[in-house]
Amino acid sequence: MEVLRTGIFQLMHQRKKEGFMPAEVVQRLYPEDWELFLPDLYDTLIAMHQAGLVDLMIEGEMVNPSPENFEMLKIQQPSKLI
């Protein structure tokens, strides 16, 4: 979803150093029904991660996203663009 990508890029621009949790994206875009958009957000983040557009971290370590670790991920600007 393009709106989710845009939301991710906006938050990434605002929080360059500290990063943010995935749910923050949809909570900003859809404050009342944000949980409904988590599956779409997960798919969007995987595509962005594979394209090298975001780094996904847990406790400072880069990880591959999975449904099990999705809520623990921290989205950050990529350390280097591909």
Side-chain angles (χ1 to χ4, degrees):
M1 269 178 116
E2 192 62 35
V3 72
L4 293 175
R5 280 176 58 108
T6 301
I8 291 166
F9 283 133
Q10 287 175 340
L11 268 174
M12 214 171 6
H13 178 72
Q14 292 171 359
R15 300 192 190 162
K16 292 177 181 169
K17 301 219 184 315
E18 69 265 14
F20 53 95
M21 304 303 282
E24 292 180 64
V25 177
V26 289
Q27 287 170 342
R28 279 184 161 205
L29 295 170
Y30 311 104
E32 294 181 21
D33 298 325
W34 64 272
E35 291 172 317
L36 299 174
F37 295 92
L38 288 174
D40 292 328
L41 178 61
Y42 176 74
D43 294 340
T44 300
L45 277 176
I46 287 179
M48 292 178 74
H49 177 68
Q50 290 173 342
L53 299 174
V54 296
D55 282 348
L56 301 175
M57 315 288 276
I58 294 178
E59 298 180 4
E61 298 290 323
M62 194 173 319
V63 297
N64 288 318
S66 71
E68 294 78 28
N69 69 14
F70 180 63
E71 291 183 20
M72 298 179 290
L73 293 173
K74 191 171 202 180
I75 303 166
Q76 295 185 316
Q77 283 188 330
S79 51
K80 60 179 180 177
L81 288 174
I82 299 175

